[in-house]
Amino acid sequence: MYDECAPFIGSLLGRTVGSFTNAPLPGCQVVLHALNGDFVLCAGRGVVPPALRQVYLYSIRSGTSTACPV
């Protein structure tokens, strides 16, 4: 969880991310950066595709977060 939508980069080196709950602020999105590409988190509860689960960084940036599929 984050409380402001300022550009930010955080480390998740060596972490495996399978699922998430994301409650973004308006106009804000979280991006997971994996060796195989980037994944923008949807708003709500979701699952990270298997090929992108080994995350090394995440970033918070301005943008639109779409609702997670039910």
Side-chain angles (χ1 to χ4, degrees):
M1 181 162 173
Y2 47 98
D3 54 9
E4 67 178 277
C5 189
F8 177 81
I9 296 177
S11 176
L12 291 172
L13 191 59
R15 301 274 307 265
T16 300
V17 179
S19 62
F20 61 88
T21 301
N22 182 34
L25 296 171
C28 208
Q29 61 183 205
V30 175
V31 182
L32 301 180
H33 304 281
L35 293 177
N36 294 331
D38 295 339
F39 181 72
V40 179
L41 300 186
C42 54
R45 298 184 77 178
V47 176
V48 177
L52 301 174
R53 290 184 179 171
Q54 290 294 340
V55 177
Y56 61 93
L57 292 173
Y58 71 96
S59 61
I60 299 172
R61 64 184 186 195
S62 59
T64 303
S65 294
T66 60
C68 294
V70 177

